[in-house]
Amino acid sequence: MFRFVKTYSICLLGLLLSFTWAKAQEKRICIDFYNGTFNSQINQSLVLDVPIQLSQASVQGFYDKINAGNYQPVIDSLTAYKNRYQLNDWLYYQLVRKTAQQISPKADNYGRYTLYKWFLMAKSGYDVRLALTRSKVIFYVLNDEDISDIPAFTVNSKKYMCLNYHDYARADLNLDPPIPVVVAIPEAKKAFSYKVTRMPDFKAADYQEKDLQFTYHHKAYYFNIKLNPNVETIFMNYPGVDFETYFNIPLSKETYGSLIPLLKQNIKGMSQKKGVDYLMHFTRYAFLYEDDEENYGREKRLSPEETLFARYSDCDDRAALFFYLVKEIYNLPMIALLYPTHITMAVQFSKPGGSPILYKGNAYTVCEPTPQLDDLRMGQLPKKLKSQPYEVVYQYVPAANGQKGL
């Protein structure tokens, strides 16, 4: 009996030591990510040494080692979080970036940090690629959307967009051409989308309050809206997407709840045209105007929530916000008119006003959401635009089961 107990104790001790050793080999990942907290673990054997200067051989060696290890738990955790919180691809990539940062901090070894992003995205099913220059690691992803301000690469007649261009201060890659790294990853097939059609359900404690006011027909209107500074972080490196994608970025839940019901209350009893006129004046005068070049030193489009949060905004930002407000409250057909140095909006009413814009057989009334020298009425264009050419860059046509952009 004593021998049995002694043997059992030794076995139990061995199991405990094995469990303790196994746990010691796990690196815990814990990330506060907007909706909640992302938790996962990665085996320490997958935390690899990588030279600062990468090569085809070192990239292949990294992949072979990590691919042979137990990487699946972290991939399962990432995709489960993505599905649970319905993350768009852009938000999922932000989660992958934060995960790679915890495994291998960017400041310690940028190449290795990029390799982890590449591996995690590839094993999540995205067709991501790497290319090397003398001093850079270029990370790019399959994408068939119209993106305007980041480099694109063509591989076998497919277009790939650079995901880490912001890390190289908008360098001219033509002066240091990247050479593709070829690594076969069978499951990496999916295209990436920059469309953001749902914002995270941020924690209520993360919101800040902001007071806005403007005057409409000699009456002052006051707003106290809830805004989340995390929205600016989400769109910090967001590229110049097409106007359909840009205009349909929504507000977060708390911001929506603090603004849209109040706007609806304020226009209650107004005719449709007067209500749209109210929204036009709100977008025009509730915030300060400043050109992006003066404010940011470059062109930067703000999402509707960023426009509400920002101290200054320009015509792109106000056009997007006005579109969003009219769509949410009235859901009317609209077109966006792009001039050489300006963008404005036009709305389709049952009876157009002013000098209508004819497009595809329909008449649209210009609604200028950006402040001008004159307080323009609906149907009026700024004088400087009347003789300038324009392009309709987005047409919104409401549909019974949702929206339709043409």
Side-chain angles (χ1 to χ4, degrees):
M1 178 66 180
F2 176 75
R3 181 177 298 174
F4 170 77
V5 171
K6 183 177 180 181
T7 302
Y8 175 79
S9 299
I10 292 172
C11 290
L12 180 61
L13 180 60
L15 287 172
L16 288 172
L17 288 173
S18 297
F19 177 77
T20 302
W21 181 85
K23 293 299 290 182
Q25 298 303 302
E26 298 290 326
K27 181 180 178 68
R28 179 175 172 79
I29 298 170
C30 182
I31 299 169
D32 187 18
F33 191 77
Y34 307 130
N35 303 59
T37 302
F38 171 73
N39 290 286
S40 188
Q41 291 181 327
I42 185 168
N43 193 280
Q44 288 284 9
S45 64
L46 302 179
V47 181
L48 307 174
D49 288 329
V50 172
I52 298 296
Q53 185 65 44
L54 295 178
S55 64
Q56 168 76 45
S58 59
V59 171
Q60 185 68 61
F62 171 88
Y63 178 79
D64 291 342
K65 288 180 181 179
I66 197 169
N67 192 52
N70 186 25
Y71 64 84
Q72 197 60 48
V74 70
I75 299 298
D76 291 343
S77 297
L78 284 166
T79 53
Y81 193 95
K82 178 181 188 289
N83 293 333
R84 178 182 178 185
Y85 292 108
Q86 300 174 3
L87 300 183
N88 303 126
D89 289 351
W90 177 254
L91 284 168
Y92 182 65
Y93 175 55
Q94 308 314 308
L95 179 60
V96 167
R97 287 178 62 206
K98 289 178 179 289
T99 303
Q101 173 69 14
Q102 288 221 353
I103 300 172
S104 174
K106 183 177 181 178
D108 292 351
N109 185 329
Y110 180 79
R112 184 171 66 172
Y113 160 77
T114 306
L115 287 178
Y116 279 107
K117 288 196 301 179
W118 165 68
F119 183 82
L120 295 174
M121 288 291 286
K123 290 299 179 177
S124 299
Y126 295 94
D127 186 353
V128 285
R129 307 291 180 96
L130 292 173
L132 304 175
T133 77
R134 291 189 299 270
S135 59
K136 300 177 182 66
V137 184
I138 307 302
F139 179 40
Y140 49 107
V141 64
L142 179 65
N143 174 268
D144 58 3
E145 297 165 343
D146 182 14
I147 310 298
S148 63
D149 61 348
I150 53 177
F153 304 89
T154 301
V155 181
N156 297 328
S157 300
K158 295 181 179 179
K159 181 171 69 71
Y160 292 77
M161 302 306 303
C162 182
L163 276 169
N164 65 336
Y165 187 44
H166 56 276
D167 286 330
Y168 294 110
R170 313 186 88 75
D172 186 351
L173 297 181
N174 292 319
L175 301 177
D176 191 12
I179 300 173
V181 175
V182 180
V183 178
I185 308 177
E187 58 267 57
K189 299 177 180 178
K190 189 166 53 174
F192 180 89
S193 174
Y194 286 94
K195 294 182 184 297
V196 177
T197 57
R198 184 183 186 279
M199 295 297 290
D201 292 330
F202 299 111
K203 298 173 184 176
D206 290 340
Y207 280 85
Q208 301 175 6
E209 294 185 351
K210 181 178 180 179
D211 293 326
L212 295 175
Q213 69 175 72
F214 83 109
T215 300
Y216 181 70
H217 288 184
H218 308 292
K219 179 180 178 181
Y221 290 86
Y222 299 90
F223 301 82
N224 179 259
I225 56 177
K226 296 180 179 180
L227 300 166
N228 199 306
N230 286 312
V231 173
E232 186 176 16
T233 303
I234 287 173
F235 293 106
M236 184 176 296
N237 299 312
Y238 194 64
V241 294
D242 63 86
F243 281 100
E244 179 182 0
T245 299
Y246 173 50
F247 276 29
N248 287 288
I249 297 172
L251 296 176
S252 65
K253 185 177 179 180
E254 291 283 338
T255 299
Y256 186 101
S258 67
L259 177 63
I260 301 300
L262 183 54
L263 287 172
K264 288 181 177 179
Q265 179 62 35
N266 290 347
I267 61 178
K268 188 177 180 181
M270 295 183 186
S271 67
Q272 188 181 77
K273 274 190 178 179
K274 188 172 180 181
V276 172
D277 185 65
Y278 176 93
L279 297 177
M280 179 181 76
H281 280 80
F282 169 80
T283 311
R284 192 187 289 176
Y285 297 120
F287 347 94
L288 298 174
Y289 176 87
E290 189 169 274
D291 186 80
D292 280 348
E293 288 295 331
E294 297 177 16
N295 197 17
Y296 300 104
R298 59 182 177 88
E299 176 65 23
K300 179 178 172 61
R301 293 179 188 165
L302 302 180
S303 71
E305 191 157 341
E306 286 182 289
T307 298
L308 294 168
F309 196 87
R311 180 173 174 80
Y312 300 105
S313 52
D314 72 354
C315 59
D316 298 87
D317 315 323
R318 290 159 194 263
L321 176 59
F322 175 75
F323 168 83
Y324 181 83
L325 298 179
V326 173
K327 178 170 71 72
E328 287 299 314
I329 296 174
Y330 290 109
N331 200 29
L332 293 169
M334 287 176 276
I335 54 175
L337 310 175
L338 181 64
Y339 290 82
T341 59
H342 187 64
I343 187 169
T344 191
M345 300 299 300
V347 180
Q348 183 183 341
F349 298 104
S350 56
K351 293 183 179 180
S355 301
I357 302 291
L358 299 178
Y359 183 71
K360 292 186 177 180
N362 295 307
Y364 295 82
T365 300
V366 173
C367 297
E368 176 55 71
T370 302
Q372 303 294 320
L373 294 176
D374 300 316
D375 184 19
L376 300 174
R377 298 191 301 272
M378 292 173 61
Q380 287 186 311
L381 270 172
K383 292 179 182 178
K384 63 182 180 180
L385 297 183
K386 289 182 179 180
S387 61
Q388 292 190 20
Y390 65 85
E391 177 188 0
V392 175
V393 290
Y394 177 49
Q395 180 188 18
Y396 171 71
V397 180
N401 60 347
Q403 68 183 58
K404 179 182 178 184
L406 300 176

